[in-house]
């Protein structure tokens, strides 16, 4: 079955990301807890929606980093 954005969307995917997948697999293979955070920079199905430098993406990056820092803090406290 060919993998396409449309096929992924029809099966319920809300985001497509490729680079983190390899890191997650390595983490699983080595027994390392892993996680990922992401910010969407547009909807490929809405013409003209892609804006990687716009206000919405900038706000998303701030929220993404705050979330990541909170998770890292909690993980560090659990390891104490």
């Amino acid at each position: 079955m060919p993998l396409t954005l449309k096929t992924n969307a029809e099966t319920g995917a809300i985001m497509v990301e490729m680079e983190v997948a390899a890191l997650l697999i390595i983490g699983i293979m080595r027994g390392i807890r892993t996680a990922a955070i992401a910010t969407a920079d547009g909807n490929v199905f809405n013409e003209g929606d892609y804006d990687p430098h716009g206000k919405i993406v900038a706000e998303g990056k701030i929220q993404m980093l705050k979330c990541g820092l909170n998770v890292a803090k909690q993980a560090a406290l659990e390891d104490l």
Side-chain angles (χ1 to χ4, degrees):
M1 179 167 94
L3 294 179
T4 66
L5 293 175
K6 187 172 187 295
T7 301
N8 289 331
E10 289 171 351
T11 59
I14 58 172
M15 185 172 183
V16 175
E17 198 288 330
M18 300 178 306
E19 293 79 11
V20 173
L23 297 175
L24 296 176
I25 293 297
I26 291 169
I28 289 169
M29 292 171 59
R30 297 194 176 188
I32 302 168
R33 291 189 333 178
T34 59
I37 54 177
T39 297
D41 55 12
N43 182 338
V44 297
F45 300 112
N46 293 338
E47 185 79 25
D49 188 40
Y50 179 71
D51 185 11
H53 306 293
K55 182 179 178 183
I56 292 173
V57 174
E59 291 172 1
K61 288 178 183 178
I62 291 168
Q63 293 302 316
M64 177 183 68
L65 292 171
K66 285 181 180 179
C67 175
L69 290 171
N70 284 330
V71 170
K73 177 182 174 184
Q74 186 63 37
L77 291 174
E78 288 176 6
D79 288 341
L80 293 177

